């Protein structure tokens, strides 16, 4: 019986094998090859293993002993090669009591958030300057449309944990305070383009290490 | 002083107001209007509230007292109007001991999974028939490339919980057993197109309520 | 000879006419029908005229007698029906001496700018907090990548004029000051999420007409 | 035994049924509802039948007794509702001896052609004005990149038949002769914009029924 | 006269030549350079010939003397370099009497099929488990929405031939039997994730050469 | 006080720095590395400067002393590395009195035009052969849908200047006269595929330097 099966299998296999040699269901990032607008070059499929599709870095709480009492840990394509080219990624955020993920945008992606522990106050502002603000509890989900300014505050007495998903392998993350105050953009330009007072700008530049 | 501020504000506001009247950062689903290939029609922005962007349905564990000892609860655009048009959605899965999310595909989306509780055995199969199989613990992340057959099994003794994100507001979900056995596709056609034995097909049609 | 040509023309026309009846090269916005994630519904092609593809609103300088000494006039899909669905739009900016288009983002589009009159100081900040700052003269072009914070200042003694193009019919426009200060987001939340001092926030809320 | 199976089936079904009610794998065109940039509105899935996904209009040879001795029959979204929103369509072309599908472009799609009967001479011209010209026999495939001018001539003594696929449900079809000569664009404008002689333009306007 | 024409041509050519040097209407696959998420790197346009856009491999019937009495021959980007980056490809299928293309999905593309010879029974199953089943004759067209399980059976007494087009240069092809039985996925996992009996799984693993 | 600020800054910085190292907001073209379907490879972000995002080539009027009395100067991704991957580009057109940008298409982009100086007569033709023709004055905007044949004529007595934006970093540009007459496509093929007379074709081939 086995003798009969082998040739059948052989015939069956012939069918698609030649054309399927390089079928590309995924494009695991090869960090040593050129990167293009659509992402990293693809690792040789023969060298891809399941570990390229698994990431354990989000299992560890971030260190929240810092000024914002919060930490964001990302699983974007530059850390997690399996998401390259697949249009998806995620991140975790840990907030100690009084912690905050301050105003920020993701230039190239929408975000969905799910609360795992604690209570948040989360909000975003639309182009029409409307505020969408909500208290979120464990299990609540909130979506933040692409590119809009948003923030998440720990609104409870205990630490909070949430995960976010993005529809891009590299959504970007522009923190408002960093963009305004943590670089060498001259104070007078920041003032002219933001209407903030020079004193306030200098104060925050000092906190964040900006110059100018 | 206040007197001076009012006219300044007035002048400042004039600037962009006319052209920004209908700026559309989002397109909250209006379930009563026509649906197109890109999603539901948009609700009037003036009637949109923050509650359209928040969903609480994932906070409740699904009922796992069923044959697969598991439950999937989705937050797709047909339940969660805020994700319409934003290219993103999510879902939760609860698995009792021995529970399983059986073989399935998402025709239009890639998926990222994060384990919240328990231990999973998760895997997917590529077009080249390679198996990517991994034991996942709390905090582990795994990505499943678009359209490929995959499954998740509870590999521990306790219940398991995980969340998944998708890069589509409506990723679809095709369960293999349902597609093959839970409809009226005649047994002889299933047999001819799957090489499963008619007896096996009839057995599973009976379990799942399929006919033919 | 003419007699012969008529039937030939008739035969020639037969060829494609039935199938081409509703060919849709464009989708001029019908503002009275539902809007979806991809844009407005399409006007009946039989009622489309060339005027739907032409817009004269950018020919008139904006009124710059306001606090920012500048004005932006847009030709987005909500004013200019012909760009609906075509992935493109444009705008003009007029800046009096000392005028500024303050920090803002376009959540869904990249921007190219061309200087027509005057001298600008323009800049954007990347997610990595690097500043890309340049003095631009008549005829100079600058590109601003999608979703990043940027500004344009009149750096000369005379008025300045520039045009911008976007790769979206509705790129959105989120002005930082408006988002932070021109709505009812409570001062303490703005402070917590921005590290700005409550006094500074209240000062700018007063200027812009924000409450809370 | 049957008694046991029914409740199991019932429990199994509970699992996904509520959330899957409106899963949308496809969007069959509803020609009576508004059309948007992404295509026609979707027919109620409950009313969709297999006949919406099947089209028989390409089984009949086109009538080639006309000036070009050829006929094109399309299966685009305006005839074939099942392709709406799916990014794909197709067409057949029949060419009698000496028949030709004259110079044309598809503004929104690339094309693949496969020869079923006869011999063709097919070609396209690139933006760099290079000519890519080939004699094609039965079974040969040729691809025409998006938007480039191309043509197909019957190069044999017998009739020819080929099918083409497009990566759009509505690729458009702009025939060069029709665009230049079969409308009311004034002869002097055609001449100025094409460098063709007015006499030649008038000759072809007469053949094709153009005016002006 | 010729003398006069040359300088005119020279002046005319000056116009666009410098900027058009590297215009890229296409991106013929260079199999020796890195591959990215959007496809293969582009061959130097100067080395591209018409033969890169033509493929003759579909002109030869596939060998159907195998267990499924059928053969699929593909013209995807890994065989046909001209379709790289153009979002389109195609394939042919030959079915001897009683031949079948068993249940399969294309993870990244929709498919249109046209029958050239013979009679098919073709069907697909939606996420809602509805079956869309049809008998197809010569000239009939059927569309299979992206990512859904489908099959094609020869329903006649003679051999059948059909061509399919895809809206991707590399649509992928996941054969259900291969995914379940033609690899080393352990029988107990296949059983747990499919509800098939271990005996049935082992039987098909033996036929297809799977292990475990 | 400064002593206290430094450690705070340090703690604050820790937060996101590791994960943001390779955030990619843009992909400035590296002309020395492979090009793919989505554009050029990205320059190392550490070597990117603001000058990559600024282009001065459009500040200089083109030379219009040629047969068409016009010149087009482009800022596409092959000249302007900063637009690579950003889906946007632009160009300027100078027309002397009686100048014309003759019939052409952009195979991969829609176009918006804004008149800076002079008066134009501009038009496009749809797939349905309708002509959309308009006289445009300073400040007028017109949109040309993707892939359709269009032209712009100087309709005034003075020189004209306009800028155009495209929703692609490399929109392509196929000039009708060049495609038909400025290459080696044999006269009899041009005649057969265009219905132009061989004499007219030979006349224009002579003007443009075509052969065959």
């Amino acid at each position: 019986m086995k003798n009969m099966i082998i040739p059948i299998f052989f015939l069956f296999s012939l069918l698609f094998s030649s054309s399927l040699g390089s079928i590309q269901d995924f494009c695991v990032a090869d960090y040593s090859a050129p990167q293009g607008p659509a992402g990293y070059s693809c690792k040789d499929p023969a060298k891809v293993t399941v570990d390229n599709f698994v990431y354990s870095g989000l299992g560890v709480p971030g260190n929240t002993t810092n000024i914002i009492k919060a930490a964001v840990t990302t699983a974007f394509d530059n850390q997690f090669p399996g998401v390259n080219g697949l249009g998806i990624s995620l991140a975790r955020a840990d907030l100690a009591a009084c912690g905050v993920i301050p105003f920020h945008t993701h230039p190239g992606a929408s975000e969905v958030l799910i609360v795992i522990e604690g209570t948040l106050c989360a909000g975003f502002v639309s182009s029409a300057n409307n505020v969408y603000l909500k208290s979120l509890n464990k299990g609540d989900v909130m979506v933040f449309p692409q590119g809009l300014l948003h923030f998440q505050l720990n609104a409870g007495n205990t630490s909070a944990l949430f995960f976010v998903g993005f529809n891009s392998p590299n959504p970007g993350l522009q923190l408002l305070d960093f963009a305004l105050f943590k670089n060498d953009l001259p104070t007078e330009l920041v003032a002219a383009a933001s209407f903030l007072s020079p004193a306030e700008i200098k104060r925050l530049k000092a906190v964040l290490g900006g110059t100018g």
Side-chain angles (χ1 to χ4, degrees), chain A:
Chain A
M1 182 67 181
K2 198 79 178 283
N3 288 0
M4 284 180 64
I5 287 167
I6 291 169
I8 288 172
F9 152 61
F10 185 70
L11 288 170
F12 198 50
S13 299
L14 272 180
L15 239 194
F16 302 94
S17 55
S18 65
S19 62
L20 293 189
S22 59
I23 281 288
Q24 195 103 14
D25 300 312
F26 41 73
C27 175
V28 170
D30 175 351
Y31 297 127
S32 67
Q35 189 173 4
Y40 292 95
S41 291
C42 312
K43 193 173 172 177
D44 176 357
K47 295 182 182 165
V48 168
T49 71
V50 68
D51 291 329
N52 298 131
F53 299 107
V54 175
Y55 188 67
S56 294
L58 301 196
V60 184
N63 183 345
T64 61
T65 55
N66 54 43
I67 195 177
I68 62 166
K69 298 184 173 60
V72 172
T73 312
T74 59
F76 292 174
D77 61 3
N78 48 336
Q79 296 106 22
F80 183 12
V83 296
N84 184 52
L86 293 183
I88 201 160
S89 64
L90 72 175
R92 80 175 276 159
D94 294 274
L95 294 89
C98 303
V100 60
I101 310 297
F103 275 120
H104 64 283
T105 58
H106 305 287
S110 290
E111 169 185 331
V112 286
L113 172 161
I114 183 152
V115 183
I116 304 299
E117 292 172 15
T119 303
L120 299 178
C121 169
F124 70 88
V125 185
S126 71
S127 288
N129 303 312
N130 293 318
V131 178
Y132 298 89
L133 192 66
K134 189 78 180 182
S135 178
L136 302 176
N137 297 306
K138 182 177 175 176
D140 284 348
V141 166
M142 186 166 177
V143 63
F144 301 89
Q146 178 172 333
L148 296 179
L149 211 52
H150 60 288
F151 68 91
Q152 293 101 3
L153 277 157
N154 186 343
N157 300 318
T158 58
S159 63
L161 168 65
F162 64 85
F163 288 98
V164 289
F166 299 98
N167 64 339
S168 165
N170 195 329
L173 170 52
Q174 180 161 56
L175 283 157
L176 178 59
D177 281 282
F178 282 24
L180 295 181
F181 309 122
K182 189 174 181 281
N183 50 42
D184 58 0
L185 190 58
T187 295
E188 62 271 24
L189 280 183
V190 179
S194 72
F195 294 86
L196 294 170
S197 69
E200 182 74 353
I201 295 164
K202 285 179 190 293
R203 183 180 71 85
L204 284 160
K205 277 185 173 279
V207 172
L208 291 166
T211 57

